[in-house]
Amino acid sequence: MQSLRKASGNKLTAMMQVRNERGRYLEASLAQLSDVVDEIVIVDDASTDGTPELCRAFPKVVRLVELRRPLFGEEWKLRSLLWETAVSTDPDWLLAIDADEFLERRTIRRIRELIDQDQYDWAALRMYDFWGSLTHYRDDLWWNLHRRHTMMLARYLPGYHYAYPRWDHHVPRLPFTCAALPGLRSELRVKHWGWAGDASDRLAKYNRYKQLDPDGRWGSIDHYESILDPAPNLVRWVEEE
């Protein structure tokens, strides 16, 4: 596979799954991505709010799959479909990102450094969960994703075996088999705004998690309950230029 690893001129394709994201962060997310990546591939999980129409307004969206029946209850199928659709565009690198995630300005400037090399095949970044506003992120026992790394970038190597675990929920955004390849853990950062809404928004997400996974089979019950913490530890975000 060494001959497939290009050290420069790599095409970067963003891949995103969406459902009823219109009126939230999707438009801003696609606007940012349009300035960063070469192409965008989206699978819409049976939205009912006009999300596909918004996606089609962005020229960089080269593939948009619209499902008639939602697959969120079988998330591994949704992730697999998104991957298959994305690789059908012959990408060099894939950026797996959600509609409520935003690259920090420093990450935007340096993301090409991560992919224009031939030494490693994936890159993991620091993900910060903003909480209650767009100025603070949460940092406590249950919300500390930023202390670890989240694999978000993967080189596409035709012929390599890519697979997702057959989980109904909390499926990794990239195939777990990527981890067998050489990778890089970067200190570049990503902002997750999905929890930045008000208390009613978080309550709706809490209820959805408890409905989809009442026994904690796919996640932690304690983690779900921590969503309702009335006084979480919040840290002010400082953008790194």
Side-chain angles (χ1 to χ4, degrees):
M1 294 182 185
Q2 185 64 36
S3 62
L4 301 176
R5 295 181 170 96
K6 299 188 328 188
S8 63
N10 283 289
K11 182 174 77 168
L12 178 58
T13 300
M15 49 185 277
M16 177 187 294
Q17 61 189 48
V18 298
R19 175 172 168 80
N20 291 339
E21 297 288 349
R22 192 169 191 135
R24 291 178 57 80
Y25 303 111
L26 176 61
E27 185 171 7
S29 172
L30 292 176
Q32 184 189 74
L33 288 173
S34 293
D35 290 335
V36 176
V37 305
D38 300 297
E39 295 181 345
I40 303 171
V41 172
I42 296 174
V43 170
D44 179 82
D45 193 30
S47 288
T48 59
D49 68 345
T51 290
E53 288 75 14
L54 176 57
C55 294
R56 280 194 288 269
F58 288 84
K60 288 268 180 101
V61 177
V62 298
R63 296 280 171 86
L64 172 61
V65 175
E66 297 180 58
L67 299 180
R68 295 180 179 273
R69 181 182 67 85
L71 284 176
F72 187 73
E74 299 173 286
E75 192 182 359
W76 70 273
K77 292 183 179 180
L78 186 59
R79 292 285 189 190
S80 297
L81 175 61
L82 177 59
W83 176 263
E84 292 163 5
T85 304
V87 301
S88 72
T89 67
D90 297 321
D92 293 314
W93 277 80
L94 293 150
L95 169 65
I97 192 165
D98 289 344
D100 54 11
E101 295 172 352
F102 293 83
L103 306 178
E104 186 178 25
R105 285 192 290 270
R106 185 171 70 114
T107 304
I108 291 173
R109 289 201 319 273
R110 297 184 57 189
I111 194 167
R112 294 286 170 172
E113 298 174 16
L114 295 180
I115 68 172
D116 280 337
Q117 46 71 37
D118 57 5
Q119 301 303 306
Y120 52 84
D121 299 319
W122 56 263
L125 286 67
R126 299 279 190 180
M127 178 74 69
Y128 288 74
D129 286 310
F130 281 63
W131 204 268
S133 73
L134 299 182
T135 61
H136 289 73
Y137 62 90
R138 187 166 171 177
D139 181 17
D140 54 34
L141 175 63
W142 293 108
W143 297 84
N144 51 46
L145 184 60
H146 54 279
R147 300 182 195 174
R148 305 183 297 278
H149 289 85
T150 299
M151 188 188 297
M152 296 186 66
L153 286 157
R155 189 195 307 271
Y156 178 56
L157 298 170
Y160 185 72
H161 176 63
Y162 294 100
Y164 286 91
R166 296 193 174 194
W167 301 346
D168 287 343
H169 303 293
H170 304 300
V171 178
R173 64 183 66 207
L174 286 168
F176 72 89
T177 50
C178 291
L181 298 166
L184 173 75
R185 290 174 174 82
S186 169
E187 296 309 302
L188 296 179
R189 306 191 299 176
V190 181
K191 299 175 282 188
H192 176 218
W193 287 357
W195 298 99
D198 59 22
S200 63
D201 185 50
R202 292 193 295 278
L203 178 60
K205 291 187 175 188
Y206 165 82
N207 289 332
R208 185 166 67 248
Y209 277 131
K210 293 300 290 287
Q211 179 182 4
L212 292 169
D213 189 20
D215 301 319
R217 180 180 180 188
W218 308 106
S220 164
I221 292 293
D222 288 335
H223 189 258
Y224 297 156
E225 294 298 330
S226 73
I227 295 170
L228 303 182
D229 187 337
N233 184 59
L234 303 181
V235 179
R236 178 172 288 277
W237 172 263
V238 178
E239 188 87 357
E240 295 181 358
E241 301 292 340

